């Protein structure tokens, strides 16, 4: 293509862009693709998951801190980033679940909440968009709403009759869901860790695994990006309030990951160009 390729990755919170598809976006950015991360909320109701930072002054300034963390992660990944400005819903827990807080992203009308995303699509003009599946990847209300507005915006952005105030129409060519944790991937890493060390961080996870939620058969596209796993991990560590640098997410050494599963995986769900599956490139049919 004569014009520069453009990729938009839509995420719910600051840190999601570094834990879902981060190596692939870093790879594309390094290859000259213009990559824009869209962050729907500010993560204002997120927890402090790093015990080293679980302090009152951190909790009191969590919104400001998370924006600064996002700035650093964006620099590490080599991407652009924009905020939609919605308010974090928090993750409801308990039985029965408590109601979501008034005014939060998870309670928005999807058609209304899609408007700023349509505006961004029309201004940035992405060829490809990535987002979450119908369950949000996991059932956080902000992740589910991110899915909903992405689906609305993908279809509406190219329709001049919808959101006429949001700029000139632009129709993205492909839409993908992030498919981060399939059983096949988890088992491959689990077995490699047992062989290498006799222990695996996934042992308990496998015991509790629900095969009804497995996405193995949904993966259509595996993007080779193992050489960018270190950048991915550095970006995730930049979200210092959200991840323990000595914890679960960094338990498998990079050489094992790069050997056993050197890709990040996606499901192609909408395409306006001809393509053949399986793919190894989000821009197959667009280039």
């Amino acid at each position: 293509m004569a014009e520069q390729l453009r990729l938009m990755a839509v995420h719910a919170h600051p840190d999601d862009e570094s834990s879902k598809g981060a190596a692939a976006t870093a790879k594309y950015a390094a290859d000259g693709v213009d990559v824009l991360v869209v962050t729907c909320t500010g993560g204002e109701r997120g927890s402090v998951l790093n015990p080293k930072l679980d302090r009152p002054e951190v909790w009191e300034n969590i919104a400001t801190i998370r924006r600064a963390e996002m700035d650093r992660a964006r620099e590490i990944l080599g991407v652009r980033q924009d905020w939609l400005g919605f308010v974090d819903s928090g993750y409801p827990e308990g039985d029965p679940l408590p109601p979501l807080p008034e005014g939060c992203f998870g309670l928005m009308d999807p058609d209304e909440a899609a408007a700023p995303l349509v505006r961004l699509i029309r201004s940035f003009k992405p060829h490809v968009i990535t987002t979450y599946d119908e369950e949000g990847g996991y059932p956080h209300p902000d992740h589910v709403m991110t899915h909903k507005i992405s689906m609305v915006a993908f279809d509406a952005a190219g329709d001049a009759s919808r959101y006429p105030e949001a700029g000139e129409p632009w129709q993205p060519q492909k839409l993908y869901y992030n498919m981060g944790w399939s059983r096949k991937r988890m088992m491959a890493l689990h077995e490699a860790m047992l062989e290498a060390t006799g222990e695996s961080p996934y042992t308990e996870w496998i015991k509790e695994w629900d095969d009804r939620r497995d996405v193995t058969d949904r993966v259509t596209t595996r993007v080779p990006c193992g050489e960018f796993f270190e950048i991915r991990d550095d970006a995730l560590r930049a979200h210092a309030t959200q991840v323990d640098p000595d914890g679960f997410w960094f338990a498998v050494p990079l050489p094992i990951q790069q050997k056993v599963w050197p890709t990040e995986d996606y499901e192609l769900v909408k395409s306006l160009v001809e393509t053949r599956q399986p793919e190894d490139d989000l821009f197959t049919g667009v280039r």
Side-chain angles (χ1 to χ4, degrees), residues 229-270:
F229 284 179
E230 185 172 4
I231 291 175
R232 172 203 66 192
D233 287 358
D234 286 345
L236 187 54
R237 279 188 285 263
H239 292 282
T241 61
Q242 300 304 298
V243 62
D244 182 350
D246 302 316
F248 174 85
W249 296 112
F250 307 106
V252 178
L254 284 179
I256 291 180
Q257 295 185 50
Q258 291 163 333
K259 178 181 179 181
V260 172
W261 206 273
T263 66
E264 288 185 333
D265 304 341
Y266 298 84
E267 179 186 12
L268 175 62
V269 289
K270 287 179 178 283

Side-chain angles (χ1 to χ4, degrees), residues 109-169:
D109 175 83
D111 289 325
E112 178 184 349
L117 183 56
V118 171
R119 184 179 298 277
L120 267 183
I121 291 172
R122 289 177 177 176
S123 62
F124 179 64
K125 297 179 171 57
H127 301 96
V128 175
I129 294 177
T130 66
T131 189
Y132 309 147
D133 69 8
E134 59 281 350
E135 293 188 350
Y138 81 108
H140 190 299
D142 290 338
H143 285 241
V144 174
M145 186 57 69
T146 297
H147 161 79
K148 290 179 179 179
I149 71 167
S150 298
M151 303 308 287
V152 172
F154 182 89
D155 291 335
D159 185 344
S161 69
R162 301 179 69 182
Y163 305 93
E165 72 291 347
E168 291 295 317

Side-chain angles (χ1 to χ4, degrees), residues 177-198:
Y177 294 157
N178 294 288
M179 290 283 129
W181 281 102
S182 64
R183 181 176 178 83
K184 187 174 181 180
R185 177 189 176 206
M186 181 175 60
M187 291 303 299
L189 293 171
H190 172 70
E191 291 167 1
M193 282 296 287
L194 290 178
E195 181 178 350
T197 69

